[in-house]
Amino acid sequence: MTKRLSLPNTHALGFIVCGVILLGLPMLISNYQVNLLGRFLTYAMVAVGLDMLWGYTGMLSLGQGLFFSLGAYCFALYLNLETAGAKLPEFMGLYGVTELPFFWQPFYSPIFAALAAVILPMLIAGGIGFMIFRSRIQGVYFSIITQALTAIFALLLIGQQQVINGTNGITEMRTIFGARLAEPNTKVALYLATVVALGAVYLGCRAVIRSRFGRLLIAVRDDENRVRFMGYNPVLIKTLVFMLSAGIAGLAGILLVPQLGIISPKQLDIAASIGIVIWVAVGGRGHADRRDSGRAAGQYRQEHHQHLLPRYLAVNHGRAVRWRRASIPQRHCRLVHRCAALAPARPPKGRRASSGRANHRC
């Protein structure tokens, strides 16, 4: 007698199958596609953290781009110093800097850079979150505050040309742990590290959600006052999950920057944070398996439309315009002309000119 797979076994089987497929893809696709897919998976990792915060706790953060970029900047400092060696980074010479700033010194160590990339976003999220949640700010006001903090931090980075190259960001990254970033084997290794990290983050978040702390998150989302009356501290619970999501975003930043080769304040702008929220919504809040696929699929679609097939889009846009003009029945054009003739008032000069062009097309 055969037994049907239970739900946990189905999830485990799906996780194993997805893991095997992702780990085997480098043997089937080009190095460029491997690099592109590795970047998408880092965005999926940020989506996992945001979904735990938004989908299970009900707090929509529009500042995940801040923590993501902080992690990327911390690890970019290490990569930049490794490329420069004993010299100063090249951009500092453009601004007359003759000595390495003091806060750059610890980033000669990759361990310190990796720890700082995770811990610094968590500390910032903890400080900000504690003040916000202690004041019982929630809902749309929490979203606005996190968005404003992201914009402020981006402006702060733009104004620091001498120490972090301002708007241009940090671009001099050629090696990581002695291996050249441009080598195919390095790209594959970074991709595999991203897959493993994403799987670990997924399992960790799933364990948190299924634990007692996860049930508290859902309870805070559904009725915070009842949780408080039962003796729990919602401020502490919300601060902890905010810190955890920030740490995941910082970890994703570590994996993104060697695959992207640049980090700049552009990654902190409002569009980046809102894009993360959109693809979590597309994947479905509170669905761990769907949010990854939604985020990765959305980012793939964006990159596909922006970089891979621009000529295809241009050609099809022209075809769509021609089809639209050809598909408008002539009787509709005649009806528009009759309505214009019956109009009592004389149209303005600008509208009259556009109407003339429309008649010419018809």
Side-chain angles (χ1 to χ4, degrees), residues 14-327:
F15 177 79
I16 293 172
V17 170
C18 290
V20 170
I21 292 174
L22 288 175
L23 291 175
L25 276 179
M27 295 184 291
L28 304 174
I29 58 179
S30 65
N31 288 326
Y32 172 75
Q33 291 172 324
V34 167
N35 179 261
L36 208 58
L37 186 58
R39 286 156 50 188
F40 299 160
L41 294 182
T42 61
Y43 291 117
M45 201 181 302
V46 182
V48 171
L50 178 61
D51 188 68
M52 190 171 57
L53 181 66
W54 184 27
Y56 291 92
T57 319
M59 299 184 297
L60 174 57
S61 171
L62 297 179
Q64 293 304 104
L66 166 64
F67 308 126
F68 186 47
S69 301
L70 268 178
Y73 259 101
C74 288
F75 204 67
L77 296 183
Y78 159 71
L79 295 177
N80 197 312
L81 288 176
E82 185 180 279
T83 301
K87 301 178 182 177
L88 289 176
E90 290 182 7
F91 72 88
M92 289 186 181
L94 302 175
Y95 303 108
V97 178
T98 57
E99 186 178 355
L100 193 67
F102 71 93
F103 67 88
W104 277 70
Q105 298 289 346
F107 288 95
Y108 276 111
S109 168
I111 298 175
F112 178 86
L115 291 177
V118 176
I119 294 175
L120 183 60
M122 293 182 70
L123 292 178
I124 293 177
I128 295 172
F130 182 76
M131 290 187 290
I132 293 175
F133 303 137
R134 191 168 181 268
S135 303
R136 299 195 180 184
I137 296 174
Q138 55 186 357
V140 67
Y141 300 103
F142 173 73
S143 304
I144 292 173
I145 290 174
T146 53
Q147 183 66 86
L149 287 173
T150 304
I152 292 170
F153 194 80
L155 292 175
L156 181 65
L157 290 181
I158 291 173
Q160 305 300 318
Q161 289 91 352
Q162 294 184 345
V163 291
I164 52 175
N165 208 15
T167 307
N168 298 321
I170 299 175
T171 58
E172 303 165 27
M173 306 175 210
R174 300 189 187 94
T175 59
I176 178 170
F177 306 134
R180 291 184 59 81
L181 291 174
E183 292 291 333
N185 292 335
T186 307
K187 292 182 179 180
V188 173
L190 289 171
Y191 167 79
L192 295 178
T194 305
V195 173
V196 172
L198 176 61
V201 168
Y202 172 81
L203 293 177
C205 290
R206 186 172 176 82
V208 169
I209 292 167
R210 295 169 67 88
S211 67
R212 185 177 180 181
F213 182 72
R215 291 193 291 274
L216 280 174
L217 297 180
I218 298 173
V220 168
R221 180 193 64 186
D222 294 342
D223 196 337
E224 183 176 339
N225 290 328
R226 182 171 292 182
V227 173
R228 184 177 291 106
F229 292 151
M230 292 177 68
Y232 293 101
N233 186 357
V235 176
L236 182 61
I237 296 171
K238 293 162 80 173
T239 303
L240 286 176
V241 71
F242 192 34
M243 292 176 64
L244 189 56
S245 67
I248 293 173
L251 176 62
I254 295 175
L255 295 167
L256 172 73
V257 69
Q259 299 183 80
L260 188 61
I262 181 176
I263 184 66
S264 68
K266 179 67 176 174
Q267 275 76 30
L268 277 81
D269 64 3
I270 296 174
S273 296
I274 292 180
I276 297 170
V277 173
I278 289 174
W279 295 118
V280 170
V282 170
R285 289 194 303 154
H287 296 282
D289 47 352
R290 298 178 192 171
R291 64 188 171 228
D292 296 345
S293 57
R295 177 64 188 168
Q299 194 65 27
Y300 171 77
R301 189 178 306 165
Q302 179 179 343
E303 293 283 342
H304 185 77
H305 287 357
Q306 286 183 352
H307 304 293
L308 297 183
L309 295 174
R311 296 183 59 186
Y312 171 83
L313 288 179
V315 169
N316 281 277
H317 176 72
R319 289 176 179 172
V321 171
R322 290 194 297 273
W323 174 83
R324 188 169 55 196
R325 289 182 177 178
S327 62

